[in-house]
Amino acid sequence: MQFPKLTPLQSRFAASLAASLLLVILYLILSNPHFAYATDVDSIIQKDHNHPLSLQKIIHEDDFEDLDSDHESKHVLYEPEFAGLGRSIIGRADAQVPQTLSNNVPGKLNINPGDVQYWTFPKTSLSAPLSSATPVIPPNHDKRETAPRTGYPENGARNAELKRRQNLDIRVHVTLNTCDQPSAAPGTTPPQLRFFISQSNHNPGPNANDMSVNEVPVNGGFSYYTNPTSTDLYLGIAAPPGSSGLTGEYNYEITASIDAPYAFYEGYTNLYLVDSDSKAALFVSNNLTNGSNSSSASYTEWMDSPPPFSVFVHNQNDPSILGLEQSYCGLKNKAQIQGGITDLANVEVGMTTIGGGNPKQQFYVQGLNRSSSYHAFMALNTNYTTPGSGNVGGGGTVWNVTNFNTMSDENCQVIYNLSFCPQVSYAVPSNYSTNASTLAQWYDSNANILFQNFSYSLQQIPCETTSSAQYSLAVTCADCNASYHQWLCAVTIPRCADFTSTAPYLLPRNSNSSFLNPSIIPQSVLSDPVFSHQNKSALYFNSSRNTAIDQQIAPGPYKELLPCRDLCYGLVQSCPASLGFACPLQGKGLEHSYGDMSTGCSIPGAIWGVNGASGLRPVVWAGYLVFVAVLFYNLGS
């Protein structure tokens, strides 16, 4: 059969039509492949009678929207079960979809004992710009005392990192804080949560046999992980299995940040007990600047700024904070007193320069119980300008615990912020019928009046004259004035201690008077040989150093921490002999008037017995105590 001969135009049309038909057929095959899949599945189901396939639920395309919106409460999983094969061969049948963390936004959940929960910090968050938040701590602070943690870049470092971040791994800071925990049996503490992290395993946890999974230690309710990365991070939080006596659940917050740790724990002490009485305690922070130059910018900035630090205080008889000591949110939930946070009535905060002249923050805590032991924690509500979720460092910082005791007797009271004797910040003889501010004014005014008489005498000394006419080449009238001021404040404002205390360096005072509240004084104290007729006849024993205290304050019997004898020696060697100052001799009154620094004595502004240490010794601001020793050396040379 001979085909008709086509013209060139007809030939081109036929070729184009054939090509178009082939393309249409190819498109239909590729765009609708279910024909082949349906045939394959049917053949498998019909032929494989020995391995039946069980589908618990068929997941349709529109089911994925439900998974995204409700993955916290419901996980729809494809779970194959093959006869003769265990789960370990099939794979992780219990895999969960990790919940997603955003930068500086904590994920907060309750978790029951024995459960594991998973989170992820996606790599897409690594490309976000660093925050430009302003630190709440002034920049010129003492780096040794309150240095920022690794990962808190300064502004210049932040700008440089913004330029490099496309080419380098980004440092991520992950913090875990336990905010609440189950109650435990008496004498026990709930076990800590466990924290796992991986860059590849989507469900890191205690049962993950995977070398990529690392466990980060959790101590005191806090854990911190930091490392450069360019991939997704997967996190697992595991609650230990329940045990006998453990009731309730855990609550925690997990936070990831490319800026800085959202929360933090500092493992060193930054809070010092100045003194306590039966109802209150006075604390100060470490030095906040390197120097005490009042004209420096850092000094002025600290003293003029609102006090940034807060304090948690908790009675040791209540074990509810044990296991949460390093967690800011845990202490915020459990601590009985939260000064500067929620409890503004019981805690007064301010700036002070006691002990050497460096700026420090001061905390006056009230509402305490007599004869009790407490935990105290200095804290920072936020490391930057704004606390809370979504803010850099918004989860708070906690420092190491300071333990302290309150007094048993009720005739000593802490005073502070005196105008003439600003370094006096300790407990003084009191009867609690006078409030602390009025009591402080009374003591301060008495010392000021006595100092005026001394000033008139010092004006008779030729201070402004030639060196050859001066009374000393080593010291001046200014030194004499300062030494007398310090000595006068120490001896006219005695440091008070419990009469029931058995510390050997304390001296009984005003013992002939009656106790304000005899019911709280043990009978063993009342019948002590120290109340013998011989002791009662001694002036140093039956009255206060300043008789006006017995007449106007009427504190009853108390014990005094004697002023350091170095204060008297320094006064004698700083001032002209014509003023007639002299110190008592050993065995002839010195031991009843002054204490020894090697065993225990009082110097206004010094801190003794910090953090529950036994015995009394200066522990901070040593330069303040060196003055007298340097003075001795100069005079002796």
Side-chain angles (χ1 to χ4, degrees):
M1 178 180 180
Q2 185 176 6
F3 293 98
K5 187 176 182 181
L6 300 177
T7 66
L9 181 61
Q10 291 174 328
S11 299
R12 286 195 296 270
F13 175 76
S16 298
L17 180 61
S20 298
L21 291 174
L22 288 174
L23 288 174
V24 170
I25 295 171
L26 183 60
Y27 169 78
L28 291 175
I29 293 175
L30 293 177
S31 63
N32 194 7
H34 300 291
F35 306 120
Y37 289 165
T39 303
D40 292 342
V41 170
D42 289 342
S43 65
I44 292 174
I45 294 176
Q46 294 173 3
K47 295 181 180 179
D48 194 359
H49 301 288
N50 294 324
H51 300 87
L53 179 66
S54 172
L55 291 177
Q56 289 191 341
K57 180 175 181 178
I58 304 297
I59 304 177
H60 301 284
E61 290 181 3
D62 54 357
D63 288 335
F64 285 100
E65 295 181 1
D66 296 334
L67 285 175
D68 291 337
S69 62
D70 196 29
H71 65 272
E72 292 185 13
S73 59
K74 183 179 180 181
H75 300 292
V76 182
L77 301 175
Y78 172 75
E79 193 169 301
E81 296 180 2
F82 294 96
L85 298 179
R87 285 182 178 270
S88 60
I89 298 177
I90 300 172
R92 290 196 304 271
D94 61 343
Q96 298 182 23
V97 178
Q99 302 182 69
T100 302
L101 291 173
S102 299
N103 190 40
N104 294 313
V105 178
K108 301 179 181 181
L109 282 181
N110 295 329
I111 183 170
N112 291 312
D115 287 353
V116 185
Q117 295 172 348
Y118 303 106
W119 302 82
T120 182
F121 187 62
K123 63 181 179 182
T124 53
S125 297
L126 303 178
S127 59
L130 289 174
S131 171
S132 58
T134 303
V136 103
I137 299 294
N140 294 325
H141 63 275
D142 188 339
K143 300 297 183 182
R144 297 171 302 165
E145 307 291 3
T146 52
R149 275 69 61 194
T150 302
Y152 280 80
E154 302 296 338
N155 290 335
R158 285 174 177 269
N159 294 334
E161 185 170 346
L162 283 172
K163 298 177 181 178
R164 300 192 310 263
R165 61 192 299 109
Q166 298 299 328
N167 302 319
L168 298 176
D169 288 351
I170 304 303
R171 179 170 291 277
V172 176
H173 308 269
V174 184
T175 55
L176 169 67
N177 279 273
T178 305
C179 303
D180 202 355
Q181 60 187 1
S183 58
T188 64
T189 302
Q192 295 286 304
L193 291 174
R194 298 179 68 184
F195 175 29
F196 299 88
I197 194 162
S198 174
Q199 292 184 343
S200 57
N201 190 322
H202 290 205
N203 295 147
N207 298 322
N209 296 321
D210 189 336
M211 294 296 292
S212 71
V213 176
N214 294 310
E215 182 170 6
V216 186
V218 181
N219 296 303
F222 175 77
S223 183
Y224 172 50
Y225 168 89
T226 182
N227 207 44
T229 185
S230 58
T231 65
D232 297 333
L233 282 183
Y234 299 98
L235 317 170
I237 308 301
S243 59
S244 176
L246 200 66
T247 58
E249 59 187 3
Y250 293 87
N251 177 269
Y252 69 90
E253 60 178 30
I254 182 80
T255 316
S257 173
I258 60 173
D259 299 289
Y262 180 76
F264 208 77
Y265 168 74
E266 295 283 17
Y268 63 90
T269 298
N270 204 16
L271 183 71
Y272 296 95
L273 175 70
V274 178
D275 206 356
S276 65
D277 54 40
S278 61
K279 300 178 181 179
L282 184 67
F283 300 89
V284 292
S285 69
N286 255 324
N287 293 332
L288 299 173
T289 63
N290 284 318
S292 57
N293 183 3
S294 60
S295 61
S296 69
S298 60
Y299 181 101
T300 303
E301 188 172 8
W302 272 108
M303 296 304 294
D304 293 345
S305 298
F309 300 105
S310 53
V311 65
F312 296 106
V313 179
H314 194 84
N315 196 308
Q316 294 184 23
N317 288 335
D318 181 359
S320 61
I321 67 167
L322 298 180
L324 303 174
E325 305 95 324
Q326 300 179 19
S327 168
Y328 182 90
C329 68
L331 292 174
K332 189 174 180 180
N333 283 337
K334 294 293 186 179
Q336 297 162 336
I337 296 177
Q338 303 182 19
I341 303 169
T342 59
D343 192 346
L344 303 180
N346 285 322
V347 181
E348 298 177 8
V349 297
M351 301 304 296
T352 183
T353 58
I354 64 170
N358 299 69
K360 307 169 187 67
Q361 185 168 328
Q362 183 172 259
F363 308 84
Y364 180 63
V365 182
Q366 304 175 80
L368 306 178
N369 298 326
R370 58 176 289 270
S371 191
S372 299
S373 298
Y374 284 87
H375 302 297
F377 307 83
M378 195 174 94
L380 188 61
N381 195 19
T382 176
N383 297 307
Y384 290 85
T385 51
T386 307
S389 176
N391 299 295
V392 180
T397 298
V398 177
W399 276 265
N400 192 28
V401 64
T402 297
N403 297 315
F404 71 99
N405 301 316
T406 55
M407 290 188 182
S408 301
D409 306 345
E410 296 180 343
N411 57 346
C412 297
Q413 191 170 1
V414 170
I415 61 174
Y416 63 101
N417 285 357
L418 280 65
S419 57
F420 178 71
C421 295
Q423 298 295 330
V424 170
S425 298
Y426 48 72
V428 298
S430 171
N431 60 16
Y432 269 106
S433 63
T434 305
N435 62 50
S437 59
T438 302
L439 186 68
Q441 185 178 5
W442 185 87
Y443 278 105
D444 201 44
S445 177
N446 282 345
N448 194 7
I449 293 171
L450 294 173
F451 186 81
Q452 294 305 318
N453 296 330
F454 162 78
S455 298
Y456 299 144
S457 299
L458 189 61
Q459 291 173 9
Q460 309 304 313
I461 305 299
C463 298
E464 304 298 331
T465 185
T466 62
S467 59
S468 60
Q470 291 179 358
Y471 70 90
S472 173
L473 296 178
V475 291
T476 66
C477 288
D479 296 320
C480 176
N481 188 80
S483 295
Y484 185 84
H485 188 181
Q486 187 183 31
W487 171 85
L488 181 66
C489 291
V491 298
T492 59
I493 310 178
R495 186 162 184 169
C496 181
D498 280 335
F499 196 89
T500 54
S501 174
T502 58
Y505 44 78
L506 299 177
L507 186 73
R509 296 289 196 186
N510 200 26
S511 59
N512 281 349
S513 61
S514 301
F515 287 99
L516 296 181
N517 187 359
S519 63
I520 66 174
I521 307 298
Q523 185 60 38
S524 60
V525 173
L526 297 176
S527 59
D528 193 284
V530 76
F531 287 106
S532 66
H533 176 74
Q534 180 180 1
N535 279 340
K536 285 189 175 184
S537 64
L539 182 63
Y540 71 84
F541 187 86
N542 60 33
S543 67
S544 295
R545 182 189 296 271
N546 180 0
T547 56
I549 295 175
D550 302 334
Q551 297 166 0
Q552 299 185 40
I553 303 298
Y558 65 94
K559 287 186 178 180
E560 180 186 352
L561 177 62
L562 298 175
C564 293
R565 60 186 62 177
D566 304 85
L567 295 175
C568 184
Y569 295 152
L571 172 63
V572 171
Q573 298 188 38
S574 297
C575 293
S578 59
L579 293 179
F581 292 125
C583 297
L585 300 177
Q586 184 69 37
K588 296 184 178 181
L590 178 66
E591 63 276 14
H592 299 144
S593 300
Y594 297 98
D596 189 352
M597 212 178 270
S598 63
T599 56
C601 58
S602 176
I603 291 182
I607 291 183
W608 307 88
V610 169
N611 206 21
S614 59
L616 296 181
R617 59 187 180 87
V619 294
V620 294
W621 316 327
Y624 184 70
L625 305 180
V626 168
F627 165 73
V628 176
V630 173
L631 182 62
F632 291 164
Y633 177 81
N634 290 335
L635 290 172
S637 59

